[in-house]
Amino acid sequence: MSTERKRKVSLFDVVDDTSASAKLSRMNGGAGGNGVVSGVNRWNGRPYSQTYYEIFEKRRTLPVWQQKDEFLQVLKNNQTLILVGETGSGKTTQIPQFVLEAVDIETPDKRKKMMIACTQPRRVAAMSVSRRVAEEMDVTIGEEVGYSIRFEDCSSAKTVLKYLTDGMLLREAMTDPLLERYKVIILDEAHERTLATDVLFGLLKEVLKNRPDLKLVVMSATLEAEKFQAYFNGAPLMKVPGRLHPVEIFYTQEPERDYLEAAIRTVVQIHLCEPQGDILVFLTGEEEIEDACRKINKEIGNLGDQVGPVKVVPLYSTLPPAMQQKIFDPPPPPLDELGPPGRKIVVSTNIAETSLTIDGIVYVIDPGFAKQKVYNPRVRVESLLVSPISKASAHQRSGRAGRTQPGKCFRLYTEKSFSNDLQPQTYPEILRSNLANTVLTLKKLGIDDLVHFDFMDPPAPETLMRALEVLNYLGALDDEGNLTKLGEIMSEFPLDPQMSKMLVVSPEFNCSNEILSVSAMLSEARVSSATASSGFYATSGGMNHRKLLRLMQVVAVSQFSLMKKWEAQKAADEAKARFSHIDGDHLTLLNVYHAYKQNSEDPQWCYENFVNQRALKAADNVRQQLVRIMSRFNLKLCSTDFNSRDYYINIRKAMLAGYFMQVAHLERTGHYLTVKDNQVVHLHPSNCLDHKPEWVIYNEYVLTSRNFIRTVTDIRGEWLVDIAPHYYDLTNFPSCEAKRVLERLYKKREKEREDSKNRK
DNA sequence: GAGCACTGC
């Protein structure tokens, strides 16, 4: 063996020379006499540099329960307190209980107690943590300790400690601007910097000035502590230690050209050379994950029964829950008693970074990428881009290896690139999003001066301008930027402003019942995934067997797999034809919803018609919530007679009243241009139209292999000048084909008016 | 004729 090769190989080895790297070096040095060895040679192309790095904070700080007295003292003397601690510190369950013991929540009105609020970014967390705390305190959930999330309020007059999502607290602030029912507010997982958390930050800073009796505790992971401290005017900072095991971090010596290939190679290396323990691989999306799973199975399969058996499990959010559960299965047993141990290999998106925790993970492979949302205010488009993760995210990923025992994390990038290229934090969501909805919420909260609002990270002025502009066009804000009556009602809907607008005006078009259904279906579109027409699974082509399997969530997978691929295909096509509406996808969604209700939400019917029952159920839930809000504002629930020729026309007009800024025009060249922005776009192939309409409204603009508009419906040019003349004001319109068409339409309308005047 | 990271109200 050459010294050169030996040196490189030994870099992989940090434990001792008998395990991983010893085997590796033997294999590298070996002549490749059998399949196993040559297989390894191929995968073991590049060596690793290694650093040893402890995630586990040395016990400089006392565990949370030993700092109780100090915590309460600091809280007593300060209005705001920042508490930092890694996962497993127990702060989420302990701190609220300390507060509860020490803080006086009695009010002059003996019947009314004040509450302590503890926010979480996710519903499941709010629910599960509150349950755990209720158990620890030996009370019934929903009584002294409760939770409140969308669609479920599990709290009562007795509740003194309430867990809720950050979005829910923000909603409450809309009706209770000083949050007067709370004595202490604890913002947990603040480092995640969700949109709602960021808005709450600025809002609470104001509220604290007006409510000297209110206390705020900001709980976060360590990395941004100083920034938080500076933002909250130098509030005291306390630390509690986490309880993670040490994790060794390895870097590659050279950058990897192909991270997918490198990730698979590393999986095989670990499987061959490392002791027992499951592997977690972070990749960016569904397709990539499914591809990687196939390749890992194949590569390890090629190694024969010299190596332990593996169970490769994909994990991403659109995977049906039953299949997500597989991540909790135990690893496969060894093939024979003395054989090498089996291993579970989870290949996951970022969902495993924060939302889902898998025990038994000892090895983490981090290629350093994730899909991230970016917003381009110039063309008003949000898109997903594969981009490098932040240091904070890399840290979080490696921590996943040390939950149950000491672990290892393999970063598929160089140490230099970690320190020089990765930004310290992921840009907070508020800097990466379309803020139309957020601005509407802020206005409703009484924040008039957005420019001087104390954002921890102020969004780009252009993004705010775009949001104000959209809200002004929708009539939610007047020309001075003040919330209108209409805007006030719109802000109450948990929907994007365009959708709220179409809902609020739908009674004027005599079709609010139908618009409610369309809105609910559109807002639950993500549940069904894979087709633009949410709620049902049919596509006319390209759908493979695996995907159909995944989509059929309501039935036993085994039953479905008996169906031959072409049979499934044919059935899917027929199902699609059954619901399809030639005027557009929105109307197709409506048809699906109606059919679902007409068939009494029958699971068997859903199965036979390729309808995603889970998505429909969720949409129905949303619809009920929207109906309640409509009733609160006395908005009429009405429908045009189904046999009237205006039935669908009214629905399409109402949709246009909200979505008049998302219109595309078919040019003579045969492609579509979005109005005003003049972006070349294509109808997404999933659309159900049988023709190319001159004008369409679209629900989404997506940038993938091309610029697509997805979920489209045919509308008439005349309606543009009738329904949204303020937006289609030609004095302020870029010169283009659409403009010339509109000019003719305006002239036509003018002539019609004159004619009717003359007739009188 | 293509494909959606993750949340939340």
Side-chain angles (χ1 to χ4, degrees):
Chain A
M1 186 189 292
S2 73
T3 36
E4 170 64 3
R5 179 166 285 163
K6 194 173 177 185
R7 189 187 62 77
K8 279 185 180 174
V9 167
S10 66
L11 286 165
F12 190 76
D13 179 18
V14 290
V15 189
D16 62 77
D17 201 48
T18 57
S19 67
S21 48
K23 274 190 204 157
L24 268 177
S25 69
R26 278 197 297 279
M27 287 165 171
N28 272 334
N34 64 47
V36 176
V37 172
S38 63
V40 172
N41 268 335
R42 188 150 45 84
W43 287 110
N44 189 30
R46 265 173 235 112
Y48 282 83
S49 71
Q50 55 91 6
T51 53
Y52 188 89
Y53 157 4
E54 261 187 310
I55 290 210
F56 176 68
E57 237 183 288
K58 293 206 179 61
R59 294 279 168 105
R60 273 173 283 114
T61 48
L62 295 168
V64 61
W65 53 274
Q66 283 184 19
Q67 295 192 67
K68 181 175 171 183
D69 294 340
E70 196 194 338
F71 170 81
L72 292 175
Q73 196 59 41
V74 178
L75 187 68
K76 197 176 163 197
N77 298 332
N78 297 276
Q79 203 178 5
T80 306
L81 190 162
I82 295 156
L83 194 118
V84 300
E86 299 289 339
T87 326
S89 59
K91 59 184 181 346
T92 304
T93 52
Q94 295 290 300
I95 293 293
Q97 293 185 58
F98 297 168
V99 172
L100 195 57
E101 263 181 59
V103 174
D104 180 19
I105 50 170
E106 300 294 331
T107 60
D109 180 352
K110 284 289 164 215
R111 289 162 306 173
K112 257 189 166 175
K113 281 188 174 129
M114 288 176 90
M115 282 187 283
I116 291 157
C118 185
T119 73
Q120 294 287 326
R122 282 169 291 277
R123 287 188 216 160
V124 260
M127 211 163 19
S128 60
V129 176
S130 67
R131 289 224 169 92
R132 207 159 71 225
V133 170
E135 210 166 284
E136 278 179 29
M137 290 173 56
D138 201 20
V139 297
T140 307
I141 186 75
E143 296 192 352
E144 287 83 355
V145 179
Y147 62 88
S148 175
I149 58 178
R150 187 181 184 182
F151 305 127
E152 196 183 353
D153 183 4
C154 183
S155 68
S156 62
K158 273 174 117 178
T159 304
V160 285
L161 171 58
K162 188 161 85 175
Y163 283 84
L164 69 179
T165 51
D166 50 8
M168 202 66 196
L169 186 63
L170 199 55
R171 282 275 140 186
E172 289 188 359
M174 283 170 49
T175 48
D176 177 13
L178 289 178
L179 293 161
E180 286 177 283
R181 68 186 92 167
Y182 299 111
K183 185 87 182 183
V184 181
I185 291 171
I186 303 167
L187 298 181
D188 201 359
E189 313 288 356
H191 59 277
E192 288 196 25
R193 303 288 305 276
T194 65
L195 257 174
T197 296
D198 269 21
V199 174
L200 282 171
F201 278 165
L203 190 72
L204 284 167
K205 261 183 106 164
E206 281 305 306
V207 173
L208 287 167
K209 284 183 207 159
N210 298 306
R211 288 241 347 244
D213 64 310
L214 179 71
K215 304 267 187 193
L216 173 67
V217 180
V218 179
M219 305 208 288
S220 149
T222 338
L223 281 144
E224 270 191 308
E226 281 75 25
K227 185 173 181 174
F228 283 16
Q229 206 172 12
Y231 178 73
F232 286 107
N233 311 315
L237 192 140
M238 288 185 69
K239 289 187 179 182
V240 292
R243 297 223 182 108
L244 286 177
H245 298 273
V247 174
E248 291 170 89
I249 311 273
F250 300 86
Y251 296 92
T252 58
Q253 277 200 331
E254 287 155 36
E256 292 286 353
R257 206 167 289 129
D258 178 347
Y259 70 82
L260 187 61
E261 183 267 340
I264 294 164
R265 173 169 20 98
T266 309
V267 167
V268 176
Q269 257 179 357
I270 292 170
H271 186 53
L272 285 173
C273 309
E274 293 287 336
Q276 194 163 8
D278 297 337
I279 306 174
L280 173 61
V281 189
F282 284 101
L283 292 176
T284 63
E286 176 185 333
E287 292 291 331
E288 197 177 86
I289 286 167
E290 295 291 351
D291 187 34
C293 287
R294 271 191 302 273
K295 286 178 174 159
I296 291 167
N297 271 322
K298 189 170 152 241
E299 288 300 330
I300 292 179
N302 284 347
L303 297 175
D305 48 16
Q306 305 280 318
V307 299
V310 293
K311 182 182 234 163
V312 186
V313 197
L315 176 64
Y316 41 87
S317 73
T318 50
L319 205 62
M323 291 179 82
Q324 283 191 7
Q325 281 301 314
K326 285 190 194 294
I327 61 170
F328 300 113
D329 289 355
L335 291 174
D336 56 79
E337 227 172 286
L338 298 168
R343 225 186 269 275
K344 181 168 67 182
I345 301 167
V346 180
V347 188
S348 170
T349 60
N350 260 1
I351 192 171
E353 198 179 299
T354 46
S355 307
L356 271 170
T357 307
I358 313 155
D359 282 333
I361 297 294
V362 178
Y363 308 99
V364 163
I365 298 170
D366 171 21
F369 292 96
K371 273 191 189 164
Q372 287 178 316
K373 185 171 70 183
V374 286
Y375 175 62
N376 180 345
R378 204 142 301 166
V379 281
R380 287 179 287 181
V381 166
E382 282 181 344
S383 50
L384 287 171
L385 273 187
V386 174
S387 22
I389 59 169
S390 64
K391 287 195 178 79
S393 184
H395 179 74
Q396 178 70 25
R397 286 180 174 190
S398 54
R400 293 316 215 183
R403 292 190 56 86
T404 36
Q405 64 175 85
K408 292 181 182 181
C409 174
F410 298 91
R411 293 183 175 159
L412 305 181
Y413 38 91
T414 63
E415 189 168 8
K416 190 164 159 249
S417 128
F418 174 81
S419 28
N420 300 347
D421 302 342
L422 299 195
Q423 55 187 99
Q425 299 291 332
T426 309
Y427 276 115
E429 206 185 351
I430 201 162
L431 301 183
R432 297 183 286 121
S433 308
N434 172 353
L435 296 183
N437 210 11
T438 305
V439 167
L440 185 60
T441 305
L442 285 167
K443 289 283 178 183
K444 169 70 186 171
L445 289 166
I447 287 120
D448 297 318
D449 186 0
L450 293 174
V451 178
H452 295 105
F453 182 70
D454 193 357
F455 289 109
M456 184 180 267
D457 285 287
E462 197 174 354
T463 306
L464 290 175
M465 292 302 295
R466 277 296 192 185
L468 291 167
E469 186 190 56
V470 163
L471 292 169
N472 179 245
Y473 276 129
L474 288 171
L477 299 178
D478 64 21
D479 292 348
E480 275 69 52
N482 300 312
L483 199 63
T484 61
K485 186 72 200 141
L486 172 67
E488 205 146 305
I489 300 174
M490 281 167 59
S491 73
E492 295 285 332
F493 288 93
L495 303 169
D496 276 342
Q498 288 86 341
M499 212 184 277
S500 315
K501 171 71 187 275
M502 88 171 169
L503 210 44
V504 175
V505 300
S506 60
E508 296 167 30
F509 295 90
N510 201 22
C511 59
S512 51
N513 285 321
E514 287 72 23
I515 294 296
L516 275 163
S517 309
V518 173
S519 303
M521 290 291 276
L522 285 173
S523 73
E524 276 310 306
R526 62 184 175 191
V527 176
S528 67
S529 83
T531 66
S533 303
S534 75
F536 79 109
Y537 300 132
T539 64
S540 49
M543 183 176 277
N544 58 40
H545 190 234
R546 176 196 60 78
K547 186 151 270 171
L548 274 169
L549 270 181
R550 175 169 70 73
L551 290 172
M552 298 308 300
Q553 327 176 345
V554 287
V555 291
V557 167
S558 56
Q559 184 191 344
F560 190 68
S561 60
L562 296 173
M563 209 165 171
K564 286 203 183 82
K565 188 177 168 177
W566 68 269
E567 281 176 314
Q569 190 69 66
K570 203 167 137 238
D573 280 344
E574 283 168 11
K576 171 155 186 163
R578 212 166 301 154
F579 301 115
S580 194
H581 191 293
I582 51 156
D583 285 333
D585 300 315
H586 297 85
L587 303 177
T588 301
L589 288 177
L590 186 63
N591 284 346
V592 175
Y593 180 80
H594 283 160
Y596 170 72
K597 296 301 273 188
Q598 271 156 19
N599 287 281
S600 322
E601 305 163 29
D602 177 16
Q604 185 61 28
W605 177 86
C606 291
Y607 169 65
E608 283 160 7
N609 289 278
F610 288 77
V611 165
N612 179 344
Q613 196 207 9
R614 191 166 61 109
L616 267 287
K617 216 174 173 165
D620 215 18
N621 211 357
V622 171
R623 194 181 187 281
Q624 286 166 29
Q625 188 189 25
L626 299 179
V627 167
R628 285 195 294 273
I629 301 171
M630 294 282 277
S631 317
R632 215 164 68 219
F633 292 99
N634 294 319
L635 293 164
K636 201 169 55 157
L637 301 183
C638 51
S639 300
T640 306
D641 177 10
F642 185 71
N643 298 313
S644 160
R645 56 180 287 277
D646 285 334
Y647 180 81
Y648 285 112
I649 291 178
N650 286 348
I651 296 168
R652 286 153 68 198
K653 283 182 174 171
M655 292 194 302
L656 181 63
Y659 286 89
F660 55 82
M661 284 171 281
Q662 297 183 11
V663 171
H665 179 252
L666 179 64
E667 305 283 296
R668 270 191 303 248
T669 53
H671 55 244
Y672 284 90
L673 276 190
T674 58
V675 292
K676 290 207 180 177
D677 298 324
N678 284 343
Q679 299 286 309
V680 179
V681 291
H682 305 271
L683 299 183
H684 195 276
S686 62
N687 82 77
C688 67
L689 297 161
D690 68 344
H691 61 296
K692 280 176 105 178
E694 185 184 1
W695 299 93
V696 291
I697 50 166
Y698 58 90
N699 186 55
E700 273 180 299
Y701 180 157
V702 289
L703 300 174
T704 49
S705 58
R706 298 168 102 176
N707 292 353
F708 287 111
I709 49 175
R710 196 160 48 189
T711 314
V712 293
T713 287
D714 183 339
I715 51 130
R716 311 251 322 259
E718 288 87 338
W719 302 345
L720 297 172
V721 305
D722 292 342
I723 291 170
H726 62 303
Y727 189 73
Y728 290 88
D729 168 15
L730 298 185
T731 57
N732 173 29
F733 213 90
S735 178
C736 60
E737 223 176 288
K739 183 175 183 172
R740 291 188 287 280
V741 176
L742 288 164
E743 273 164 354
R744 284 201 297 277
L745 290 170
Y746 274 112
K747 285 204 183 102
K748 189 179 138 205
R749 276 286 183 262
E750 211 172 306
K751 191 166 174 295
E752 282 167 3
R753 266 197 297 274
E754 267 170 36
D755 289 352
S756 76
K757 218 187 288 172
N758 294 340
R759 273 200 298 275
K760 281 176 195 166

